[in-house]
Structures are given as structure tokens and as C-alpha cells.
Amino acid sequence: MAEAVIGGLFLSGFINAVFDRLLSPEVANLIRSKKLHQETLERLKTALCAAQALLIDAAQKQTRNPNAVYLADDLLDQVSTKAATQKGVTNFLPRFLNFQDREIVNKMEEVVRRIEDIEKRKYILGLEEIGRESLSWRTPSTSLVKGNIYGREDDQDVMIKILNDNIEDKISVIPIVGMGGVGKTTLAQWLYNNEVLTKEFDLKAWVCVSEEFDVIKITKMTIEEKLTGKKFFVVMDDVWSDDYDAWNSLKRPFQYGIKGNHACFPKSNGNSTLEIIGREIVKKCKGSPLAAQTLGGLLRAKHDVKDWNAVLTNEIWEFSLNDSKIIPALRITSRLFFKQYKNDDAQSFVMHNLMHDLATSVAEDFYFRSEELGKEDNIKIHTCHLSYGRLSHPISKSFDAIDELKSLRTFLQVNFSPPTFSFESTASIILSKFKYLRVLSFYYCRELDVLPDSIGEWIHLHYLDLSKTSIQTLPESFSNLFNLQTLKLLECDKLTMLPSGMQNLENLRHLDIRGTSLEEMPQGMSKLKHLQLLSHFVVSKHEENGIKELGELSNLHGSLWIRKLENVTNTGEAMKARIMDKTHIQHLSIEWSWGGDITTSTITEREIFDKLQPHKGLKKLTIKRYGGTRFPDWVGHSFYHNMTHISLKSCSNCCMLPSLGQLPFLKSLEIADFKGVETVGVEFYKNDNDHSSLETPFPSSEHPSFHKMPSWEMWHLLESDAFPQLKWLTIINCPILTGGLPDHLPALETLVIDRCEQLVSSPPCAPTIRESCVSKSNKVRLQELPTSLQYLSIEGCEAVESMFSAITTHPTCLRSLSISNCSSAVSFPGNCLPKCLKKLRIWNCEKLRFPKQQHQPHELLESLSINNICDSLTSFPFEAFPNLKHLVIVKCENLDLFQCHRSPVFTILTSVAAPILCHFP
């Protein structure tokens, strides 16, 4: 079975990892102390070498027993952990430690005996030594075309164009890139053998560059070239193989001689039923030529409809490796078998159906997945990795389904459904049963609020996910998990502190504490030099867990959020954090606390902030509650070429915005809660200290937003064409801003103005605008509505009046219109709604005259919502809106009759002050 071959390779690779552990300093120390004899170590190496050659054959014969190898790895884990935890300890409990050493050595010798026993019993078990080189399935490619090419006409045209366009170059390269099986080699063969395209070349050669350079392969290729164009007769004797693919490759060279050669290959008669089934099988291949070819090879000699239906309706993985090359082919291309999938919220990747089937098949002996753990009783004893969706009942100490899983290394819940019983006892049982786990997840187990002290005995643990649990604290024994690499505590909102011995977790690489309630970091975080992801760092007032602890963490990647910066009191501390040296950080967040005890002046605050300057490759910057009056010059400097997002919030003491207009690729800008800014002027567009100023400020900005700026009065604009790419402009809660909006935004699509009561301005000229919302900003005037505008929400008397005036004088293409809070007597021009309108909402417009559509019905309106309008409206003109589907009427006291002379194809929802009669004749 191909799955077994892959499983054997997996175990063989695992043995290589064990070899690496044997070379560790910890093992060498045991040898030097004469607690582990060199002879024992050499025996283990020899036994592992022999076992490595046997494991692949054992896997194929389903007789493998990897437990001994796993046990060796567990013991080596124990050795390295013990050595690490004894650093700096001299005479502490020497007798106990010596006892542990003897126990480890005894176990190691037992492991050696068990592995040696596999080699001694190889004849009884019928095992042969099989090296990796014997498992190659790939047939080297040649220049000979396999057959006709279908569906690649566009690719062929592109290649012709590339070939013709590069005739002047001394050398040109035509890359053909794609996942395995899509036809890269076939396309190259087509080009190689196209005489019209290649006639200008004096010499052609085809070389297959595979994993190794093999003289036999080159000789084979040479023979194929010699046979081309010759008449020949070949006899093959003593042939045993019935491998379809091997025969196909073997006969290919003989198809290129001159006429007169003979070969006999059976060909089945046509069958329309099989053709129909075959086309459905092709659909199942999801566009993979390799899969289609393999399935064709499987079915070429089968003429029974039942056989073809079996392939169509069942998995293809029951065929042996001799019958099908699809499994190894997909195994080789597994890294390339994922395609990108985008939706509105996130970016993710999906797996090809065949790749999923392959993974399931290959993993069945080592991995087990259960949707409801507790009902399963067929878990294989060699299962190493177990995942589940939910627990059907509490795990008891005699839970047979998992009781015998001595080699279990992964206990992972996926898409977890919370149990209906207390999870605490279940967690304790899991901890007691599986002390050799490498991966453990209790994600979203809200019932879990405490971990037992025995967690410290899980010295083999590499990955622990306690995200979204109710954990309040981690026991101090947690610091014994020397091998832990990933600790996820996402949204553990009751967790207020980490163990004081966290510095002992020297192998920790990933620490996610987003959404926790940590008040400060534990001491000695600088010792975790392997950390690559640290989501947050909470600065303490004390030196041992202050900001300088970040200085040694130079390998941090991704996002870093530094909180409680009010606890940094001088520039020296800030410099020791060495933020500039963290060149792998892409998103930096810097935050001071609400109402924090500010012990520095605003000038010192700025000097401290200046020393927190990040590297020039940073992409996102977030600053919250900065207490200085001005920003450092580096904020917004043009040398931040990769900066795409900036968020500045609650910097109440700042009297001016930083210069951000010179950032060449800034797309998103958020400015909120700046109470001291009165004017936005030329300093916003360029910095006098930045001599490489751009001709067009904000050249890439797409979405600037301004929120809650109570003192902002004026926006002074430059004469230059700033914001040429601006698509979405938001101004909210700027109550005394009087004017100065940009008047020319050629790319604007969405405009939002809310609670800007003094803003006297017209929306900017924007030929591409699609959506506009003006609320509680009564002095904004709509001079005209662009034909591109489709969604409009308007509030206030003067604004509503200007809107009605605009649609009276200019045609509109509005599809959705919302009008609210207008006490003026207004009406739609011509007593008709805009022609393209599909959705209308009118609230609190008592004197608005509702249109009767007297001249012709409005065919497009589908949704209508009316609240407290139209004192004069006593009946509703249903016939004027034949396609109305959704109607809401609230507080229209004079409306006392609904009458419709057609079938009610719409929904009516009413909530009125007076009773209403609904009549459908």
C-alpha cells in the first residue's frame, strides 16, 4: 500500500530526528559522567540504522511497531529537560538526581534491546532492508510527446509569443510553473518537437534534471534518440511486470520509428454508458490531468459498468501502488495542492478533494479523528495523533477507547462544542494518562478554570492551547515545561498573571496573550531568546520586568503590542528595548493606559517616544493615548516606504497632527479623539525636516477617517492634487469644523459626514461616488447628485431641502434613499419618486408629501419604510408600486385604510398608533 510506504518514510524520517538528539550536549554529559556507557550509545545508533532500513518494508507488510523508537525520543527528551533544569544547581538533591540518571540509563538500555530485537527477528517477520532509493516511482521525462494536447491552446499561444519576442536576446528563459500533474512537461515537449518554431536552432537537447544525476538514465535517453526515425525489431524476454505506467513508458520510444514497425496493444470497444460514467469521473478529478490519467489507467481493462461506478462513487485509494501512481504523485505535490480562497472577511486556503482523500488515507494508521469522542471504540493502538469535535460523556479512568494509546502525542479538539458536564475532571484524567503528549488543546473549553499542579510533569509538551478558557492563573509548576514551544492564551480574560518562572521556558517560540487581563509581564522575559511571536508586552515599573526586557528579543515576528508605556520614565530605558533592531516586526502598537500615573513631562514623553522608533520596513503603526504635545519626526517620515496603515487614537495633549502626507504607500489612516487639534494645515502634508518630499501628498491613501475631534475648526488645503486615490472619506463627531473639505477627489466612492453641525460645505466633486451619508450635519449642501451616486442617506431640514432641489434640477440614478428629521414642507418633484429607486426610507418628516405616482406606476420600488410622516396621507397607493415586496409603516395616525385590488405578493409589517384595516379583496 502506498500509504504504508509513506508511513514507513515518516518513521524513517523520525529516526533521523532521534539521531540528531543523540548528538546533543546533554547525552554527551551523561557519557562523560559515566552514567551512560558509550557502548550503549553505539548499540543504539547501530540498532536505529538497521531499523531504519527495515521500517519501510515493515510498514508495507503492516508489521511495524514504532513504539520503541518513540520511547527513545521520550527518553532523550527527558535527558535534555533534566540537563536544562539542573543548570546552576550543584548539590541540590544529588541522591535523587542520581537515581533519576540511573532510571534513564536503564530505560535507554531497554530501548536498545527492543530495537535490536526487531533486527534479529527480521527473517521470522519476513522483512527486507529497503533503502529510500528503492522507493522511487518517478519515470524520467524525455522529449517524446505522450499524445495529443487538449485545453492548452492559450498557453501554447503565450509560449509562441515569448519565443518570438526574445529572438534578439543572447539567452532567454521561459519558465513553466505549476503544481505537479498539470502538464508542464507535456507543454515543453510540444514546444521542443514543433519544427516550425524550433527550425532556427542548430542543436536541440533534452535533459531531465531529477533528484539525482544518473548515468543509466542518460543512457536510456540516448537510446530513445537513436531509435527515433529508425526501423527496428525488438524482443523482450522474461517479462514479469504488469505495471501499466511502466509498460506505457517502455513502449513510448518504439512509437517513433518509421512505418513498418509492429506492436500489439489491446483496445476495448466503445461503450456509451462507460463514456457517460467516465465524464463524471473526469469531473471528480477537479481539473487535475494527473488524476485523470491515473484513473484512465485503472479502468482501461475493465469493461463492467459496476467497476466504473465503483470508482465514481467510492474513494480511489483502495487500489494498490502497483495499479496507480496517483498517491505518490499527489504526495510529492502536496505543498502545491492548496489554492487561495478569498471571502469578505478573511483570506484562507482550501485543499483539493483528492489531496484531502490522500491525507486521510496516509494518516489512518497514525492519526484518528472523531466528531464525538466517547462513541468510538475502533481507535488503533498505534495512534499517535487524536483529534475530536466534542465529548459525548465525561472521560472516566477506565475509558477503553483511549486507555491503550501509549504512544499518543497529540490530543487536539477541533471545532469544539462545549460539553454539558464539568470539564475539570476530564482534563485531570487526560493529564494523568498521557504524559508523553507533544500537542494538547483545550480551546474554547469555558468550563476549564484551573490546571492541576501535575501539568509540570508534561515535560515533553511542545504545543499548548488554552485559548478562550476560564483559566485564572497558571501553576508555578508550569515553569518545568522546558520543551514547550507554543503557548496560546487568546482571550483568557480572567488570566491576570503568568508564572514567575516563565523565564525557564527557553524553547518558547510563540506566546499569544491577546485578550488577557495581564497586569505585568513576569521577570526575566529577556531569557526567552527563541521567541518569534509575542503578541503583547505589558511594561512594569520594576526593572526586572520593565521595557528593557524586550531588548534581547531580537527575533520577534509579526505583531507586537507594547502596553503601559507610562511606566517608562527615561530615554535610557526606552533605548534598551531596541525596537529598531526588531526588523521582522510588521505591525507595532504602542499604548499608554487610560488615566495612568504620568510621572514625566510632555517633553520627556516625546523624548521617550522618539527612542521607540521602529525599523524602516514596518507596515502598520498604532499609537494610543500618547501624552506628548507633538509627535517625533520619525512618525510619518518618507523613509517608511512599506507603511500602509496608521492609527492614532486618544492623543489628547497633541496640538497638531504628525506629517503623514509623505508616506508613499499609506492606504488607511485613522485619527480619533484628538482633543487639542484646532487646525489641520500644511504640516499634515509635508515635514520641513524631510527633504525628500513627494510632489503629490498622500499618493496612495484610500481611506482617511477623522473621529471625535471636538476642537477641530478648520482644514486648510494645499493647492496640489492631494489624495488622488482616496475612495472612502469619513468625518464623524467634529462639531465645530466649519469648512475646508477637499474639493477634488477623483476616486471617491463613499462619503460619510456625521455630527458635524457647523460644517458649511458641499460634498467634494467626485465623478465616481456611489454612496453618501450626511447625518446631523444640517449645514452641508447638496448642490447636485452625480449620476454615479446610488445610495444616499440625508438628515436635517436644510440638507434635505438641498437634496430635493438637486433632484429637481438634475437627473439621478439613486437606487436607495433615506430621508430623516425634516420638519419642512417638501415633496418629490413631479409628485413621483426617482425612476431608478428600489429602496426608500422616510423617518420623522411630518410635512413631507408622499408621491402618488399619478402619471405612471413606479415599477422598481421593492422596499418602503415609513415612520411618523405625511399628516395628509390617509390611504396608501398600492397600485402605484406593483413590485413592492417589503413595507413597514409606523406612527402614521391619519392612515386608516389599506386597500389592494390584487394578490398580496409582498409582506406588510405595521406598528401604528391607531388601528388599521388591511383589506385584500
Side-chain angles (χ1 to χ4, degrees), residues 135-160:
L135 291 172
S136 176
W137 59 271
R138 298 173 56 138
T139 302
S141 66
T142 73
S143 63
L144 306 178
V145 183
K146 298 179 182 179
N148 296 327
I149 300 176
Y150 302 97
R152 288 288 185 265
E153 291 79 9
D154 293 341
D155 295 329
Q156 291 170 321
D157 292 340
V158 170
M159 293 186 67
I160 293 173

PDB file of all heavy atoms in Angstrom, residues 135-160:
ATOM      1  N   LEU A 135      12.525   3.265  -3.455  1.00  0.00           N
ATOM      2  CA  LEU A 135      11.110   3.628  -3.471  1.00  0.00           C
ATOM      3  C   LEU A 135      10.760   4.620  -4.562  1.00  0.00           C
ATOM      4  O   LEU A 135       9.649   5.097  -4.634  1.00  0.00           O
ATOM      5  CB  LEU A 135      10.720   4.233  -2.120  1.00  0.00           C
ATOM      6  CG  LEU A 135      10.723   3.250  -0.965  1.00  0.00           C
ATOM      7  CD1 LEU A 135      10.507   3.992   0.336  1.00  0.00           C
ATOM      8  CD2 LEU A 135       9.652   2.197  -1.170  1.00  0.00           C
ATOM      9  N   SER A 136      11.713   4.945  -5.412  1.00  0.00           N
ATOM     10  CA  SER A 136      11.431   5.952  -6.441  1.00  0.00           C
ATOM     11  C   SER A 136      10.379   5.443  -7.406  1.00  0.00           C
ATOM     12  O   SER A 136      10.455   4.329  -7.921  1.00  0.00           O
ATOM     13  CB  SER A 136      12.711   6.300  -7.189  1.00  0.00           C
ATOM     14  OG  SER A 136      12.426   7.197  -8.225  1.00  0.00           O
ATOM     15  N   TRP A 137       9.398   6.273  -7.678  1.00  0.00           N
ATOM     16  CA  TRP A 137       8.322   5.909  -8.602  1.00  0.00           C
ATOM     17  C   TRP A 137       8.372   6.753  -9.858  1.00  0.00           C
ATOM     18  O   TRP A 137       7.670   6.481 -10.814  1.00  0.00           O
ATOM     19  CB  TRP A 137       6.959   6.114  -7.925  1.00  0.00           C
ATOM     20  CG  TRP A 137       6.756   7.520  -7.476  1.00  0.00           C
ATOM     21  CD1 TRP A 137       7.111   8.052  -6.281  1.00  0.00           C
ATOM     22  CD2 TRP A 137       6.169   8.585  -8.221  1.00  0.00           C
ATOM     23  NE1 TRP A 137       6.793   9.378  -6.221  1.00  0.00           N
ATOM     24  CE2 TRP A 137       6.211   9.726  -7.401  1.00  0.00           C
ATOM     25  CE3 TRP A 137       5.618   8.685  -9.508  1.00  0.00           C
ATOM     26  CZ2 TRP A 137       5.731  10.957  -7.813  1.00  0.00           C
ATOM     27  CZ3 TRP A 137       5.125   9.903  -9.914  1.00  0.00           C
ATOM     28  CH2 TRP A 137       5.188  11.030  -9.079  1.00  0.00           C
ATOM     29  N   ARG A 138       9.207   7.802  -9.845  1.00  0.00           N
ATOM     30  CA  ARG A 138       9.190   8.754 -10.934  1.00  0.00           C
ATOM     31  C   ARG A 138       9.925   8.207 -12.143  1.00  0.00           C
ATOM     32  O   ARG A 138      11.050   7.736 -12.044  1.00  0.00           O
ATOM     33  CB  ARG A 138       9.829  10.074 -10.497  1.00  0.00           C
ATOM     34  CG  ARG A 138       9.095  10.754  -9.378  1.00  0.00           C
ATOM     35  CD  ARG A 138       9.855  11.944  -8.891  1.00  0.00           C
ATOM     36  NE  ARG A 138      10.133  12.862  -9.985  1.00  0.00           N
ATOM     37  CZ  ARG A 138      10.029  14.178  -9.882  1.00  0.00           C
ATOM     38  NH1 ARG A 138       9.660  14.710  -8.746  1.00  0.00           N
ATOM     39  NH2 ARG A 138      10.303  14.951 -10.906  1.00  0.00           N
ATOM     40  N   THR A 139       9.322   8.274 -13.302  1.00  0.00           N
ATOM     41  CA  THR A 139       9.963   7.923 -14.554  1.00  0.00           C
ATOM     42  C   THR A 139      10.528   9.188 -15.177  1.00  0.00           C
ATOM     43  O   THR A 139       9.791  10.154 -15.370  1.00  0.00           O
ATOM     44  CB  THR A 139       8.956   7.273 -15.525  1.00  0.00           C
ATOM     45  OG1 THR A 139       8.389   6.121 -14.894  1.00  0.00           O
ATOM     46  CG2 THR A 139       9.635   6.887 -16.821  1.00  0.00           C
ATOM     47  N   PRO A 140      11.837   9.193 -15.515  1.00  0.00           N
ATOM     48  CA  PRO A 140      12.413  10.422 -16.073  1.00  0.00           C
ATOM     49  C   PRO A 140      11.699  10.816 -17.365  1.00  0.00           C
ATOM     50  O   PRO A 140      11.345   9.977 -18.198  1.00  0.00           O
ATOM     51  CB  PRO A 140      13.872  10.041 -16.335  1.00  0.00           C
ATOM     52  CG  PRO A 140      14.130   8.876 -15.441  1.00  0.00           C
ATOM     53  CD  PRO A 140      12.841   8.129 -15.337  1.00  0.00           C
ATOM     54  N   SER A 141      11.515  12.085 -17.551  1.00  0.00           N
ATOM     55  CA  SER A 141      10.839  12.575 -18.753  1.00  0.00           C
ATOM     56  C   SER A 141      11.797  12.587 -19.933  1.00  0.00           C
ATOM     57  O   SER A 141      13.018  12.613 -19.776  1.00  0.00           O
ATOM     58  CB  SER A 141      10.298  13.987 -18.508  1.00  0.00           C
ATOM     59  OG  SER A 141      11.370  14.883 -18.330  1.00  0.00           O
ATOM     60  N   THR A 142      11.241  12.549 -21.135  1.00  0.00           N
ATOM     61  CA  THR A 142      12.029  12.671 -22.360  1.00  0.00           C
ATOM     62  C   THR A 142      11.358  13.700 -23.248  1.00  0.00           C
ATOM     63  O   THR A 142      10.297  14.230 -22.936  1.00  0.00           O
ATOM     64  CB  THR A 142      12.109  11.325 -23.107  1.00  0.00           C
ATOM     65  OG1 THR A 142      10.839  11.053 -23.724  1.00  0.00           O
ATOM     66  CG2 THR A 142      12.461  10.196 -22.160  1.00  0.00           C
ATOM     67  N   SER A 143      11.974  13.944 -24.398  1.00  0.00           N
ATOM     68  CA  SER A 143      11.421  14.921 -25.330  1.00  0.00           C
ATOM     69  C   SER A 143      10.289  14.345 -26.162  1.00  0.00           C
ATOM     70  O   SER A 143       9.678  15.069 -26.950  1.00  0.00           O
ATOM     71  CB  SER A 143      12.521  15.436 -26.256  1.00  0.00           C
ATOM     72  OG  SER A 143      13.032  14.363 -27.047  1.00  0.00           O
ATOM     73  N   LEU A 144      10.004  13.057 -26.022  1.00  0.00           N
ATOM     74  CA  LEU A 144       8.975  12.422 -26.841  1.00  0.00           C
ATOM     75  C   LEU A 144       7.589  12.748 -26.314  1.00  0.00           C
ATOM     76  O   LEU A 144       7.297  12.544 -25.148  1.00  0.00           O
ATOM     77  CB  LEU A 144       9.192  10.900 -26.853  1.00  0.00           C
ATOM     78  CG  LEU A 144      10.601  10.457 -27.286  1.00  0.00           C
ATOM     79  CD1 LEU A 144      10.719   8.955 -27.215  1.00  0.00           C
ATOM     80  CD2 LEU A 144      10.917  10.971 -28.687  1.00  0.00           C
ATOM     81  N   VAL A 145       6.730  13.246 -27.179  1.00  0.00           N
ATOM     82  CA  VAL A 145       5.394  13.657 -26.788  1.00  0.00           C
ATOM     83  C   VAL A 145       4.542  12.441 -26.484  1.00  0.00           C
ATOM     84  O   VAL A 145       4.541  11.472 -27.232  1.00  0.00           O
ATOM     85  CB  VAL A 145       4.733  14.507 -27.897  1.00  0.00           C
ATOM     86  CG1 VAL A 145       3.360  14.998 -27.455  1.00  0.00           C
ATOM     87  CG2 VAL A 145       5.629  15.683 -28.248  1.00  0.00           C
ATOM     88  N   LYS A 146       3.783  12.487 -25.389  1.00  0.00           N
ATOM     89  CA  LYS A 146       2.963  11.351 -24.974  1.00  0.00           C
ATOM     90  C   LYS A 146       1.716  11.196 -25.822  1.00  0.00           C
ATOM     91  O   LYS A 146       1.172  10.124 -25.953  1.00  0.00           O
ATOM     92  CB  LYS A 146       2.565  11.506 -23.506  1.00  0.00           C
ATOM     93  CG  LYS A 146       3.736  11.536 -22.549  1.00  0.00           C
ATOM     94  CD  LYS A 146       3.254  11.704 -21.121  1.00  0.00           C
ATOM     95  CE  LYS A 146       4.425  11.775 -20.149  1.00  0.00           C
ATOM     96  NZ  LYS A 146       3.979  11.962 -18.767  1.00  0.00           N
ATOM     97  N   GLY A 147       1.203  12.261 -26.347  1.00  0.00           N
ATOM     98  CA  GLY A 147      -0.040  12.195 -27.114  1.00  0.00           C
ATOM     99  C   GLY A 147      -0.503  13.585 -27.478  1.00  0.00           C
ATOM    100  O   GLY A 147       0.252  14.555 -27.424  1.00  0.00           O
ATOM    101  N   ASN A 148      -1.736  13.679 -27.866  1.00  0.00           N
ATOM    102  CA  ASN A 148      -2.288  14.976 -28.224  1.00  0.00           C
ATOM    103  C   ASN A 148      -2.492  15.843 -26.982  1.00  0.00           C
ATOM    104  O   ASN A 148      -2.636  15.349 -25.869  1.00  0.00           O
ATOM    105  CB  ASN A 148      -3.619  14.806 -28.952  1.00  0.00           C
ATOM    106  CG  ASN A 148      -3.434  14.075 -30.277  1.00  0.00           C
ATOM    107  OD1 ASN A 148      -2.403  14.229 -30.935  1.00  0.00           O
ATOM    108  ND2 ASN A 148      -4.422  13.269 -30.643  1.00  0.00           N
ATOM    109  N   ILE A 149      -2.518  17.159 -27.184  1.00  0.00           N
ATOM    110  CA  ILE A 149      -2.711  18.120 -26.100  1.00  0.00           C
ATOM    111  C   ILE A 149      -4.062  18.792 -26.277  1.00  0.00           C
ATOM    112  O   ILE A 149      -4.387  19.260 -27.367  1.00  0.00           O
ATOM    113  CB  ILE A 149      -1.581  19.179 -26.105  1.00  0.00           C
ATOM    114  CG1 ILE A 149      -0.225  18.499 -25.922  1.00  0.00           C
ATOM    115  CG2 ILE A 149      -1.810  20.218 -25.026  1.00  0.00           C
ATOM    116  CD1 ILE A 149       0.938  19.461 -26.001  1.00  0.00           C
ATOM    117  N   TYR A 150      -4.835  18.813 -25.210  1.00  0.00           N
ATOM    118  CA  TYR A 150      -6.153  19.442 -25.254  1.00  0.00           C
ATOM    119  C   TYR A 150      -6.256  20.495 -24.155  1.00  0.00           C
ATOM    120  O   TYR A 150      -5.762  20.309 -23.053  1.00  0.00           O
ATOM    121  CB  TYR A 150      -7.253  18.398 -25.055  1.00  0.00           C
ATOM    122  CG  TYR A 150      -7.229  17.280 -26.078  1.00  0.00           C
ATOM    123  CD1 TYR A 150      -6.614  16.069 -25.776  1.00  0.00           C
ATOM    124  CD2 TYR A 150      -7.800  17.449 -27.340  1.00  0.00           C
ATOM    125  CE1 TYR A 150      -6.575  15.041 -26.704  1.00  0.00           C
ATOM    126  CE2 TYR A 150      -7.758  16.422 -28.279  1.00  0.00           C
ATOM    127  CZ  TYR A 150      -7.150  15.220 -27.956  1.00  0.00           C
ATOM    128  OH  TYR A 150      -7.110  14.217 -28.876  1.00  0.00           O
ATOM    129  N   GLY A 151      -6.918  21.588 -24.468  1.00  0.00           N
ATOM    130  CA  GLY A 151      -7.227  22.596 -23.462  1.00  0.00           C
ATOM    131  C   GLY A 151      -6.075  23.494 -23.073  1.00  0.00           C
ATOM    132  O   GLY A 151      -6.135  24.204 -22.075  1.00  0.00           O
ATOM    133  N   ARG A 152      -4.983  23.477 -23.859  1.00  0.00           N
ATOM    134  CA  ARG A 152      -3.827  24.315 -23.539  1.00  0.00           C
ATOM    135  C   ARG A 152      -3.509  25.288 -24.679  1.00  0.00           C
ATOM    136  O   ARG A 152      -2.378  25.750 -24.814  1.00  0.00           O
ATOM    137  CB  ARG A 152      -2.601  23.434 -23.273  1.00  0.00           C
ATOM    138  CG  ARG A 152      -2.659  22.672 -21.957  1.00  0.00           C
ATOM    139  CD  ARG A 152      -2.468  23.626 -20.782  1.00  0.00           C
ATOM    140  NE  ARG A 152      -2.394  22.949 -19.507  1.00  0.00           N
ATOM    141  CZ  ARG A 152      -3.415  22.773 -18.695  1.00  0.00           C
ATOM    142  NH1 ARG A 152      -4.602  23.245 -19.040  1.00  0.00           N
ATOM    143  NH2 ARG A 152      -3.267  22.152 -17.548  1.00  0.00           N
ATOM    144  N   GLU A 153      -4.522  25.622 -25.483  1.00  0.00           N
ATOM    145  CA  GLU A 153      -4.293  26.491 -26.633  1.00  0.00           C
ATOM    146  C   GLU A 153      -3.785  27.864 -26.210  1.00  0.00           C
ATOM    147  O   GLU A 153      -2.871  28.426 -26.832  1.00  0.00           O
ATOM    148  CB  GLU A 153      -5.578  26.639 -27.462  1.00  0.00           C
ATOM    149  CG  GLU A 153      -6.012  25.374 -28.187  1.00  0.00           C
ATOM    150  CD  GLU A 153      -6.709  24.374 -27.277  1.00  0.00           C
ATOM    151  OE1 GLU A 153      -6.993  24.746 -26.120  1.00  0.00           O
ATOM    152  OE2 GLU A 153      -6.948  23.229 -27.715  1.00  0.00           O
ATOM    153  N   ASP A 154      -4.359  28.424 -25.149  1.00  0.00           N
ATOM    154  CA  ASP A 154      -3.928  29.747 -24.686  1.00  0.00           C
ATOM    155  C   ASP A 154      -2.483  29.718 -24.223  1.00  0.00           C
ATOM    156  O   ASP A 154      -1.698  30.632 -24.511  1.00  0.00           O
ATOM    157  CB  ASP A 154      -4.839  30.238 -23.560  1.00  0.00           C
ATOM    158  CG  ASP A 154      -6.252  30.527 -24.040  1.00  0.00           C
ATOM    159  OD1 ASP A 154      -6.429  30.693 -25.266  1.00  0.00           O
ATOM    160  OD2 ASP A 154      -7.168  30.581 -23.192  1.00  0.00           O
ATOM    161  N   ASP A 155      -2.112  28.650 -23.503  1.00  0.00           N
ATOM    162  CA  ASP A 155      -0.731  28.532 -23.037  1.00  0.00           C
ATOM    163  C   ASP A 155       0.231  28.390 -24.213  1.00  0.00           C
ATOM    164  O   ASP A 155       1.336  28.956 -24.206  1.00  0.00           O
ATOM    165  CB  ASP A 155      -0.592  27.321 -22.109  1.00  0.00           C
ATOM    166  CG  ASP A 155      -1.397  27.488 -20.826  1.00  0.00           C
ATOM    167  OD1 ASP A 155      -1.536  28.643 -20.387  1.00  0.00           O
ATOM    168  OD2 ASP A 155      -1.869  26.489 -20.280  1.00  0.00           O
ATOM    169  N   GLN A 156      -0.188  27.644 -25.225  1.00  0.00           N
ATOM    170  CA  GLN A 156       0.662  27.485 -26.401  1.00  0.00           C
ATOM    171  C   GLN A 156       0.874  28.817 -27.115  1.00  0.00           C
ATOM    172  O   GLN A 156       1.990  29.140 -27.528  1.00  0.00           O
ATOM    173  CB  GLN A 156       0.033  26.454 -27.341  1.00  0.00           C
ATOM    174  CG  GLN A 156       0.060  25.035 -26.783  1.00  0.00           C
ATOM    175  CD  GLN A 156      -0.767  24.066 -27.615  1.00  0.00           C
ATOM    176  OE1 GLN A 156      -1.841  24.416 -28.104  1.00  0.00           O
ATOM    177  NE2 GLN A 156      -0.267  22.858 -27.785  1.00  0.00           N
ATOM    178  N   ASP A 157      -0.193  29.610 -27.229  1.00  0.00           N
ATOM    179  CA  ASP A 157      -0.072  30.915 -27.876  1.00  0.00           C
ATOM    180  C   ASP A 157       0.890  31.813 -27.110  1.00  0.00           C
ATOM    181  O   ASP A 157       1.694  32.545 -27.699  1.00  0.00           O
ATOM    182  CB  ASP A 157      -1.449  31.584 -27.980  1.00  0.00           C
ATOM    183  CG  ASP A 157      -2.372  30.857 -28.952  1.00  0.00           C
ATOM    184  OD1 ASP A 157      -1.848  30.101 -29.797  1.00  0.00           O
ATOM    185  OD2 ASP A 157      -3.600  31.051 -28.860  1.00  0.00           O
ATOM    186  N   VAL A 158       0.802  31.777 -25.773  1.00  0.00           N
ATOM    187  CA  VAL A 158       1.691  32.599 -24.950  1.00  0.00           C
ATOM    188  C   VAL A 158       3.148  32.184 -25.158  1.00  0.00           C
ATOM    189  O   VAL A 158       4.047  33.028 -25.294  1.00  0.00           O
ATOM    190  CB  VAL A 158       1.303  32.486 -23.468  1.00  0.00           C
ATOM    191  CG1 VAL A 158       2.366  33.141 -22.579  1.00  0.00           C
ATOM    192  CG2 VAL A 158      -0.050  33.137 -23.215  1.00  0.00           C
ATOM    193  N   MET A 159       3.396  30.868 -25.208  1.00  0.00           N
ATOM    194  CA  MET A 159       4.766  30.394 -25.399  1.00  0.00           C
ATOM    195  C   MET A 159       5.315  30.786 -26.762  1.00  0.00           C
ATOM    196  O   MET A 159       6.494  31.154 -26.897  1.00  0.00           O
ATOM    197  CB  MET A 159       4.826  28.878 -25.208  1.00  0.00           C
ATOM    198  CG  MET A 159       4.540  28.436 -23.777  1.00  0.00           C
ATOM    199  SD  MET A 159       4.767  26.681 -23.530  1.00  0.00           S
ATOM    200  CE  MET A 159       6.522  26.524 -23.759  1.00  0.00           C
ATOM    201  N   ILE A 160       4.474  30.725 -27.782  1.00  0.00           N
ATOM    202  CA  ILE A 160       4.903  31.156 -29.122  1.00  0.00           C
ATOM    203  C   ILE A 160       5.294  32.622 -29.108  1.00  0.00           C
ATOM    204  O   ILE A 160       6.319  33.023 -29.657  1.00  0.00           O
ATOM    205  CB  ILE A 160       3.779  30.907 -30.147  1.00  0.00           C
ATOM    206  CG1 ILE A 160       3.551  29.395 -30.326  1.00  0.00           C
ATOM    207  CG2 ILE A 160       4.110  31.555 -31.483  1.00  0.00           C
ATOM    208  CD1 ILE A 160       2.354  29.060 -31.177  1.00  0.00           C
TER     209      ILE A 160
END
